[in-house]
Amino acid sequence: MDGIDGMMDDIAELKHDIDKKLGKEEANLTLLRQCLTKYDSNTTGMINILNSFEERLKNLEKTIIPVYNETENLRRRQENIEKTMHTLDNVLSFYHTAKDVEQTIKEGPAASDLETYLSYLEKVLRAKKYFELFSPNSKELKEIERIFEEGKDALHHEFGSLLNRHGRPVPAILILDLLNTDEELPPIGTDTDLALQQLSEKVTEDLILISKWLTEHGKSSDFIRTYTRARSTMLSRSLAGLKEHLKSSSGGSFNVNQHAFSVQNSPAGGGKFRGTKEAPPRKSMNKLAKITKKASSLLQLEPGHRRQGSYPDPVKEESPDLETDLYINELSALLRLMQSEAHLMKGIIPEKHQRTAFDNIIQAALESLVNEGELLATAARKNAARHDFAAVLSIFPIVQHLRAVKPEFDLILEGCQAPTRAKLTSLLSTLDNTGAKALEEFTDSIRNDKSANMPRDGTVHQLANQTIIFLEQLQEYAETAGAMLLMHGEKATTAAIVTSEHCRNKVADYMTRVLSALGLNLSNKAETYSDPALRPVFMLNNFNYILKSLTRSGLIELLKAWNKEIAVFYNNQIIEQKKDYSQSWSKVLHYILEMDKPFSQQRAQEHVKLKDKERQNIKDKFTGFNKELDEIYKVQKTYAMPDSELRTALINENKEYMVPRYTLFYNKYCQLNFTKNRNKYIKYQPSDVAALLEKFFDASA
């Protein structure tokens, strides 16, 4: 029962809680209904307000839009009136343009600032366009066109006047100063416009303005012809001035370095030319511009001269060939001036006309230089015909220099007409062909030389001396000469690429042929000597001179690249000539070479009485020996032996060859009782023979 009561209490308590919560929820529901009612009322009021505002806006729009439209119409009318007034002012100004600008246009740009003058021309141009469009047959258009043409002509005239007033030939000293700084050629393709500000910045700017206006508005290219004529004249005058300056300086051993000073110090500079600030120092044109050839007069060896001391060196003093130096400097100068002209025209001449203008500018100067080069080639051919081959060498430094700078010429001439680009190529080919023919003719002249002026003393022949001098001079231009022979020689190559090694091998082959022709000719000449002993002496002197000259000059190394045995060949020839020379002692040896009895047996017979025939035989031996030795000494002391080393060596060989044999002969017979007058027959002691041999090859002994 207690359990049931407890359960009932719990149920009653639970019911009480539920009733309490239900009451609370009902109260919340009532409050929510009140809020909804209030919100409905507020919504209805807001809707009424919005509807009222919309009505008012509609009424305002109906009032404002007509006012706005009217205002906009008024504004448009005002703009149209202003535009009409502005257009009317412009149109009226066109009718007044001729009167306003005519006086200024007639006076030209020189009377006023160029920009101001161009602004007046712009007014004329605008008026011209207006009348062309709206009144093409009016008198106003004709008047404006007349003024326009006058203005265009005045601009053209001012363009030419600026060029003539401010253009000056580049002073020779400035050109030389520029060449002096070019110690190394710049890489091909780099900007080489270094250097010469031929017109001031202001003048250049004015020229650019005029050029631009004439191109855009004047539709004229006449100013380009004016520019090319003016600059072509300046280029030619610059080169002519340089040539005159070099000629006047030649009396003082001209050298480019003597002019390496600032142009500001020279009155000729006038301060109008100066180097570009950005111009970097460059190094090499100077070396090429100062190439000179060795003296054109060859050292002469007369018979009987220079028997003592060493062989004469080929000409040591260099005498610059003025024409060659002048031409080389002209080539260098033309290249630099052409580069300067190409740089100067940028901006002044429209890009599409620049190559044609440049072609016309350089034409006269380039043609003159090429003609001068062809004259040098003609002179070289005449010298070769007269067998003055040393003079022919004057074109070699020109070819060497031209070949070195031609890549830069080719670069600057890109875009020019084909005949212009071909001028220097043709000149180089002409010079190459001239040089190659002269070299081949030199070989023929050596091979066929018929000169009969044989040295009486067997010294070095003039032909050998001249040949060595020529080859030593040619060595300086080995690659140049090799290229000539490869391209234009008797066996011209067809190879696409000719290397430096090919050139040097070719010139080594050429020199080998020259030396071979020389040796053969000398050998033929030696046969003209009536004295058989003088023939080997002559050949010995010449072979020794050739070998020593080749070694001293370094030619031997060049020749060894082609023929490794050349030194061996000459040494063998020297040995052979010494052997041939030794035959000259046969008459002397004939009396002393009878050694059929040992020395010990001879001593045992010292006091033996000799038969008359034996005594006479010994007397004849001493007498014959003395006579032949005196005779050979008398003859051979007049022989020349210019090289002291060769003379000493040959004398020592004679002593080694003769003294021991004579000593044996002397010791065998000197103690024998073959005569009462011993001094008559025993004229020479062995030491006397040695001393006498020391005096050979010395006419003063």
Side-chain angles (χ1 to χ4, degrees), residues 436-447:
K437 286 185 177 179
L439 291 175
E440 296 298 346
E441 288 174 12
F442 177 75
T443 306
D444 292 338
S445 73
I446 298 299
R447 182 182 299 110

Side-chain angles (χ1 to χ4, degrees), residues 184-338:
E184 285 185 3
L185 289 173
I188 298 301
T190 58
D191 191 10
T192 55
D193 40 287
L194 321 167
L196 297 173
Q197 190 178 26
Q198 302 199 52
L199 298 172
S200 68
E201 292 182 6
K202 179 63 171 65
V203 172
T204 303
E205 289 172 359
D206 288 349
L207 290 173
I208 290 174
L209 284 174
I210 295 174
S211 167
K212 184 177 180 182
W213 196 95
L214 289 174
T215 301
E216 293 180 0
H217 306 301
K219 308 300 181 184
S220 171
S221 60
D222 291 344
F223 73 95
I224 298 178
R225 288 189 287 274
T226 300
Y227 181 88
T228 57
R229 284 195 299 269
R231 294 314 306 168
S232 177
T233 300
M234 288 302 107
L235 179 58
S236 296
R237 289 177 61 188
S238 296
L239 283 177
L242 173 67
K243 189 172 183 179
E244 288 302 317
H245 180 79
L246 293 179
K247 285 183 177 179
S248 64
S249 302
S250 62
S253 299
F254 165 74
N255 188 307
V256 178
N257 280 328
Q258 73 188 70
H259 300 281
F261 50 82
S262 174
V263 177
Q264 282 77 4
N265 295 332
S266 168
K272 295 183 179 180
F273 291 87
R274 66 179 186 273
T276 305
K277 293 180 180 178
E278 295 80 5
R282 299 188 300 172
K283 308 178 171 183
S284 128
M285 187 67 70
N286 181 33
K287 293 179 181 178
L288 291 172
K290 292 189 294 181
I291 293 175
T292 58
K293 78 178 189 66
K294 297 182 186 290
S296 60
S297 59
L298 296 176
L299 182 64
Q300 304 294 320
L301 273 183
E302 296 298 334
H305 286 196
R306 296 189 180 273
R307 287 189 298 269
Q308 299 298 326
S310 61
Y311 287 115
D313 290 335
V315 182
K316 292 184 178 179
E317 294 183 1
E318 294 190 13
S319 175
D321 185 328
L322 177 59
E323 289 187 355
T324 299
D325 267 355
L326 287 177
Y327 193 73
I328 286 172
N329 280 282
E330 284 183 71
L331 275 172
S332 302
L334 177 61
L335 174 60
R336 293 299 173 239
L337 290 172
M338 285 169 56

Side-chain angles (χ1 to χ4, degrees), residues 136-194:
N137 298 319
S138 64
K139 63 178 183 179
E140 287 82 2
L141 175 60
K142 294 179 181 179
E143 184 70 9
I144 285 294
E145 286 178 340
R146 178 185 64 80
I147 294 175
F148 177 79
E149 290 300 323
E150 288 180 355
K152 186 171 72 171
D153 292 342
L155 270 184
H156 188 186
H157 180 268
E158 177 65 11
F159 185 86
S161 180
L162 284 172
L163 289 170
N164 294 327
R165 289 200 312 269
H166 300 281
R168 296 287 185 276
V170 182
I173 292 176
L174 180 61
I175 297 174
L176 295 173
D177 188 52
L178 172 63
L179 297 182
N180 185 67
T181 61
D182 292 343
E183 295 179 4
E184 285 185 3
L185 289 173
I188 298 301
T190 58
D191 191 10
T192 55
D193 40 287
L194 321 167

Side-chain angles (χ1 to χ4, degrees), residues 408-660:
E408 277 200 276
F409 271 109
D410 291 342
L411 185 64
I412 198 66
L413 291 173
E414 279 185 3
C416 292
Q417 296 181 7
T420 303
R421 298 196 309 272
K423 287 183 184 298
L424 287 176
T425 301
S426 176
L427 173 61
L428 183 58
S429 178
T430 299
L431 292 171
D432 276 342
N433 188 48
T434 300
K437 286 185 177 179
L439 291 175
E440 296 298 346
E441 288 174 12
F442 177 75
T443 306
D444 292 338
S445 73
I446 298 299
R447 182 182 299 110
N448 301 320
D449 181 77
K450 304 297 184 183
S451 58
N453 56 335
M454 293 295 290
R456 293 187 300 272
D457 55 6
T459 189
V460 176
H461 195 275
Q462 179 180 341
L463 181 65
N465 183 245
Q466 291 176 345
T467 304
I468 290 299
I469 291 173
F470 184 84
L471 294 183
E472 288 190 6
Q473 291 175 341
L474 189 62
Q475 182 184 13
E476 184 177 354
Y477 312 108
E479 291 188 17
T480 301
M484 288 178 175
L485 293 167
L486 280 170
M487 297 174 188
H488 298 278
E490 293 180 350
K491 298 180 180 179
T493 182
T494 57
I497 299 177
V498 177
T499 65
S500 173
E501 183 179 0
H502 290 152
C503 294
R504 294 183 69 82
N505 285 341
K506 186 64 177 179
V507 82
D509 172 43
Y510 168 77
M511 290 182 176
T512 302
R513 288 189 284 115
V514 169
L515 291 172
S516 177
L518 174 63
L520 181 60
N521 192 299
L522 291 174
S523 179
N524 292 334
K525 290 182 184 300
E527 295 301 318
T528 63
Y529 283 116
S530 59
D531 182 357
L534 193 53
R535 298 170 192 168
V537 169
F538 172 76
M539 294 304 296
L540 182 60
N541 277 328
N542 281 275
F543 281 133
N544 185 69
Y545 169 69
I546 292 171
L547 178 59
K548 283 208 166 186
S549 298
L550 295 178
T551 304
R552 182 199 65 249
S553 64
L555 276 171
I556 196 72
E557 299 302 324
L558 176 64
L559 295 171
K560 280 182 178 179
W562 180 252
N563 180 5
K564 295 180 180 180
E565 303 300 322
I566 187 165
V568 175
F569 167 79
Y570 278 109
N571 282 319
N572 289 339
Q573 289 298 313
I574 290 171
I575 293 172
E576 287 298 321
Q577 296 306 322
K578 286 182 177 180
K579 288 180 180 179
D580 290 345
Y581 164 76
S582 67
Q583 299 301 316
S584 65
W585 290 95
S586 60
K587 290 184 179 180
V588 181
L589 292 174
H590 170 73
Y591 294 99
I592 64 173
L593 284 183
E594 193 241 314
M595 298 297 174
D596 47 6
K597 294 185 180 180
F599 185 72
S600 57
Q601 295 181 17
Q602 172 211 350
R603 288 292 248 176
Q605 298 174 3
E606 286 179 0
H607 302 290
V608 174
K609 186 177 180 179
L610 299 175
K611 297 178 182 180
D612 291 342
K613 184 177 180 180
E614 291 175 332
R615 286 197 302 271
Q616 187 60 43
N617 185 36
I618 296 173
K619 290 177 183 180
D620 291 344
K621 287 181 182 293
F622 276 104
T623 300
F625 173 82
N626 296 337
K627 179 183 177 182
E628 293 298 336
L629 182 61
D630 289 342
E631 184 64 29
I632 199 172
Y633 165 68
K634 180 181 178 182
V635 173
Q636 294 197 14
K637 74 174 183 178
T638 64
Y639 289 177
M641 198 65 66
D643 186 1
S644 58
E645 292 183 7
L646 178 62
R647 178 176 180 272
T648 300
L650 193 57
I651 287 174
N652 288 336
E653 289 179 12
N654 283 344
K655 288 161 66 175
E656 292 173 1
Y657 187 62
M658 288 298 302
V659 174

